[in-house]
Amino acid sequence: MKLSDAVSAMQLPIFAEIPLLVFMGVFIGVAIHLLHRRAELEDAADLPLRNELGPDHGQQP
Amino acid sequence: MSSEVEKFEYDDAVVRKFAFATAFWGVVATLVGLLLALMLVLPEVSLGLPELTFGRLRPLHTNAAIFAFAGNAIFAAIYYSSQRLLKARMLSDALSNFHFWAWQAIIVAAALTLPFGITQSKEYAELEWPIDIAIAVVWVAFAVNFFGTIARRRERHIYVAIWFYMATIITVAILHIVNNLALPVSPTKSYSLYAGVQDAFIQWWYGHNAVAFFLTTPFLGLMYYFLPKAANRPVYSYRLSILHFWSLVFLYIWAGPHHLHYTALPEWASTLGMLFSVMLWMPSWGGMINGLLTLRGAWHRVAEDPVLKFFVVGITFYGMATFEGPLLSIKSVNALSHYTDWTIAHVHSGALGWNGFMTFGMLYWLAPRIFQTKLWSRKLAEVHFWIGTFGILVYIVAIYAAGATQGLMWRAFDATGRLAYPDFIETVVRILPMYWVRVAGGLLFVTGVVLGFINMVMTWRQRPAKYEAVMDEAPALGPYTGFTPKLVIPRHSQMTDTGHRLAYLVKAQWHRVWERQPFKLAVWAGMDVVVASAFEMIPTFLIRSNVPTIASVKPYTPLELVGRDIYVAEGCYNCHSQMVRPIRAETERYGEYSKPGEFIYDRPFQWGSRRIGPDLHRVGGKYPDLWHVRHMENPRSTTPQSIMPPYAWLQHDDLDFSSIQPRVDAMAMLGVPYGQAVLHAEAMAREQSREVAGRIVSQGGPRHLEHKKIIALVAYLQRLGTDIKKQGSGS
C-alpha cells in the first residue's frame, strides 16, 4: 500500500480538524497561563524602554 | 546570575548602512512603480525596448519594494533593536557586513536579470536559481549572526519583538527553499520541480507567507520595539502581544490557497485557506489594537511628532489591510475581486501604508540616533507624512474603484442573457481615468519618499567628525536559578499519566521555560510552520483525485516549450491569466473552464494573478497565426485601444534552436514523457517552425520568420487550452 493510497483513503476534513483542535488547545493553554503572570510580564514589557549609556541624540532640542 | 557588570559597545555602523539602503531602495522601488503606473496609460513610455516592458519591469518593482526597501528596513530594525533587547553586540561584525553587502549585491543582481527576461515567473520569487542560492547563503549567515547574538545575550527574558524576528528568519528560510526547488537548464534558466496545480499551490503557500513572514512578522517586531520607544511607554498589553504572536504564526501558514479560489486547485484546499484567513482577522486586530493603545496618554504628542504620526497611520493601515484580507479570502467576494485592481489596491494599502509608514517612522526615529545629530528637518518629515498619506489615499481609492468597476463589467449580462461587455478592451478603457488618478497618487507618494531620502542624506551630512561609541552595561547571564516548572507525575495519583501530561500542557508552564530558552522557542515555532504546511501539502500532493489526468493532454512540442519559455521571460503572466474559472461570466467570455489535468506539464504554472489583458487559457485556435504576429508587432493594429506594449523584437530576434534540446532533456528528467523528442528536439522544432512560418505566409504575412522567436511564441499560444478540445478526450 502506497502513502498516496493511505492519504487518499482519509476523509479530507481531518486535515483541518486536527490542527484546529491543536491550535485551540495551545491558544487556550497560553491564554490561561498568561492570565496568572501579569506582574512578571509587565516587567518584560519595559525592556525596550531601557536606554543605553550616554546621550539620546533623538532627544536633542 | 553573575553580579559582575560588563560594559560593551553596540554596532550601529551596520544599522546606518541598512537605514541608508532602505531610503535609497525606497526611492528606486517607488519610481519603478510610478513608471509602471504610467505605462498602463501611456504604453509608449516603454519606448519599444524589451527591457522597459510592463511584463519585465513589474517583478523588478515588486522585488525592489519587498526585498530591497522592506528587506533593508527590517534588517535595520533587527540589528538596532536586537542588540539593545538582548544587551549584546552582534555576534560577528564580519557576518553583519557580509549580510549587508551580499544583500545589496543580490538586489543589484535582480535589477540586472529581471529586465532581461531572466525569471522563474513565480511572483515575488522570480529570481533564477544562482541568485536563489546566494539568497539562501546570505540568509544562513544572517541567522547565524542573529541566533549567535541571542546565545551570548545578557538579558534573560526574550522580548516578544525577538520572537517575531525568529519566526521570520526560520519561516522565510523554509518558504524560500521549498518554493525555489528547480532543475537548472543553464545559468539563467530552470524548471520548477512542481507542475501545474501543485506548483500553484506551493507558489501561493510561499507568496502569501512571504507577505506574512517578510512583510508582517518582522514589522510587528519593529512595532513592538520602536513604538514603545517613540511613545516612551511600554506596549499596552504584553500578554496580548504573546497571544498575537502564537495565533499569527499558527494561522498565517494555512492561508495561501485563498489566492486560488475557483481555480483548478481542489476546493477543499481553497476552503481551508479561506477559513484560516477569516480566523486571522482576530490576532491581526488584536495586534493593531495593542499597537494603538500603546499610545494611551500620549495621543497629544501624535499631533506634534512626525514619528508617531507615521506609526499611527501605519498601524491603522495594518488594521485596514488585515480586515480586508480575510474579506477578500471569502469565496463569493473573491469571485468579484480576483484578477482585478481590487487586489492591487489591497496590496498597496498594506505595502505603502503599513510597511512604508512603519519604515519611515522608524527611519525618522533612528536618523538622529544613528547619525548622532538632530534630524535635518522636522518640517520636511511632516510634509513627507502628509503628502504620503494623501498619496496613498488617492492611489488606493482610484484603484479600488477601478477594481470594482472592471470586476462588475466582466460579470455583467444584458437583458438577453449575453455578456454586456463582451469585448475585454471595453472594460480596460473604462478604468483608464482611474489609472491616471493612480499615477497622481503614486507621484505624491514618490515625492514623499524622495523628501525622506533627502532628509536622511542631509541629517547624515550633519554627523560628527567621528561617531561616539554607543556603550551599555549589564551583568553577564549566569545559570538560571529561578522557578523551573517540570512535568511531575506522582506515583500514587488517581489521575492517569496522560491526564498529568495534559494538565501540564494546558497550564502552559512550558511557555515560561521557552521564554528564556530561545532555541526551544525557535524550534517549536519552526515545527508549527512545518507541520501546518505538511497538513496542506500532503493531501495536495498525494490524493490522486486532486488532479485527474486527461488522456488527450500531451506534453508541449519542443518548439511550443521554447515558446512557453519566451512567454515566461516576457512576463506575460503579469497581465494575462491562464485560468478560466467555473463562473458563467468567464465560460461565456473565454470558453470551457480550466481543468486540473490540463496543467500537468506546466513548469512553472502560468495562472497569473491579474487580468490587465484577457485570460489566455483558451486562446489557442481562436485567431489565425498571422493575427498573433501582427498583434505582437503592434497590439493596436488588431485592438485599437490596447494598452499592451509592442513586442516587435520577437520578429527580429533569432530563436536559439541549440537551446531547445537541453530544455527538453530537463523536462524529460522531471518526468515529462517526451518520447522521441528527447533524441530529436531541435529537428522537431525546426520542422514545426517551418510549418508555422508557412501558414503565416499563406495568410499574407511576412516571410522568413521560421528562425525568429515569434514563431515559437505563436506555436505556444496556438496550443494553449486546445488539448481537451481534441476528439476522444476523457479522464
Side-chain angles (χ1 to χ4, degrees), chain B residues 24-301:
Chain B
F24 173 74
W25 289 117
V27 173
V28 174
T30 51
L31 271 177
V32 177
L34 183 63
L35 180 66
L36 290 168
L38 204 56
M39 282 178 181
L40 292 178
V41 281
L42 291 174
E44 309 79 54
V45 170
S46 70
L47 305 174
L49 296 172
E51 294 80 13
L52 285 185
T53 53
F54 186 93
R56 292 198 193 184
L57 280 188
R58 191 250 182 182
L60 185 65
H61 165 60
T62 52
N63 279 271
I66 298 170
F67 300 110
F69 172 61
N72 278 299
I74 62 179
F75 298 140
I78 290 172
Y79 278 101
Y80 186 88
S81 61
S82 299
Q83 294 186 80
R84 282 149 177 91
L85 288 169
L86 299 168
K87 294 283 177 203
R89 188 184 176 91
M90 294 306 295
L91 172 71
S92 161
D93 289 2
L95 280 178
S96 301
N97 280 312
F98 170 73
H99 179 193
F100 175 77
W101 289 110
W103 193 257
Q104 308 319 308
I106 286 166
I107 296 166
V108 172
L112 292 177
T113 53
L114 293 172
F116 292 94
I118 299 168
T119 174
Q120 295 186 128
S121 85
K122 292 186 164 195
E123 288 186 57
Y124 328 129
E126 286 91 347
L127 302 177
E128 266 296 353
W129 66 273
I131 307 176
D132 286 337
I133 292 174
I135 291 171
V137 170
V138 174
W139 202 259
V140 169
F142 171 43
V144 169
N145 205 11
F146 179 78
F147 285 105
T149 309
I150 291 179
R152 61 180 209 170
R153 72 192 191 279
R154 297 181 182 82
E155 178 60 53
R156 177 86 56 194
H157 180 83
I158 305 288
Y159 184 70
V160 74
I162 303 285
W163 302 18
F164 280 104
Y165 299 154
M166 286 195 294
T168 300
I169 292 170
I170 293 166
T171 313
V172 167
I174 296 169
L175 295 168
H176 174 73
I177 291 168
V178 174
N179 189 44
N180 285 299
L181 290 175
L183 182 66
V185 179
S186 72
T188 57
K189 178 68 191 166
S190 63
Y191 289 121
S192 173
L193 286 197
Y194 319 104
V197 170
Q198 281 136 6
D199 194 35
F201 171 82
I202 291 287
Q203 157 58 23
W204 284 112
W205 166 81
Y206 163 88
H208 191 78
N209 288 305
V211 173
F213 289 91
F214 207 89
L215 297 178
T216 306
T217 51
F219 279 88
L220 289 168
L222 182 162
M223 178 187 87
Y224 280 121
Y225 178 80
F226 287 97
L227 182 64
K229 289 295 266 189
N232 200 25
R233 274 165 172 68
V235 64
Y236 171 68
S237 169
Y238 192 70
R239 291 177 296 170
L240 184 56
S241 71
I242 293 174
L243 280 179
H244 182 196
F245 171 80
W246 282 113
S247 307
L248 209 72
V249 168
F250 190 93
L251 296 176
Y252 238 127
I253 203 79
W254 296 82
H258 72 219
H259 287 258
L260 299 167
H261 284 330
Y262 297 111
T263 66
L265 186 77
E267 194 174 5
W268 67 267
S270 76
T271 303
L272 196 59
M274 179 182 84
L275 289 174
F276 276 86
S277 305
V278 172
M279 286 168 69
L280 259 177
W281 173 72
M282 288 180 284
S284 302
W285 270 48
M288 175 198 67
I289 290 166
N290 209 5
L292 291 178
L293 288 181
T294 298
L295 290 162
R296 69 203 180 286
W299 281 100
H300 60 283
R301 286 184 46 213

Side-chain angles (χ1 to χ4, degrees), chain A residues 4-5 8 12 15-16 19 23 27 29 33-35 37 40 47-53 56-57 59 61, chain B residues 84 155 159 228-229 234 239 247 250 254 268 272 368-369 374 471 506-508 512 515 535 542-544:
Chain A
S4 58
D5 295 327
S8 297
L12 276 174
F15 290 100
F23 170 68
F27 183 86
H33 175 68
L34 294 175
L35 277 176
R37 296 178 57 200
E40 185 187 344
L47 281 176
L49 301 180
R50 295 177 197 165
N51 288 323
E52 59 262 31
L53 303 176
D56 182 351
H57 295 277
Q59 298 297 321
Chain B
R84 282 149 177 91
E155 178 60 53
Y159 184 70
K229 289 295 266 189
R239 291 177 296 170
S247 307
F250 190 93
W254 296 82
W268 67 267
L272 196 59
R369 289 167 175 86
K374 281 197 306 182
M471 304 298 294
V506 170
K507 283 181 187 166
R512 187 193 293 267
E515 287 166 25
F535 264 90
L542 293 182
I543 294 181
R544 292 200 194 91

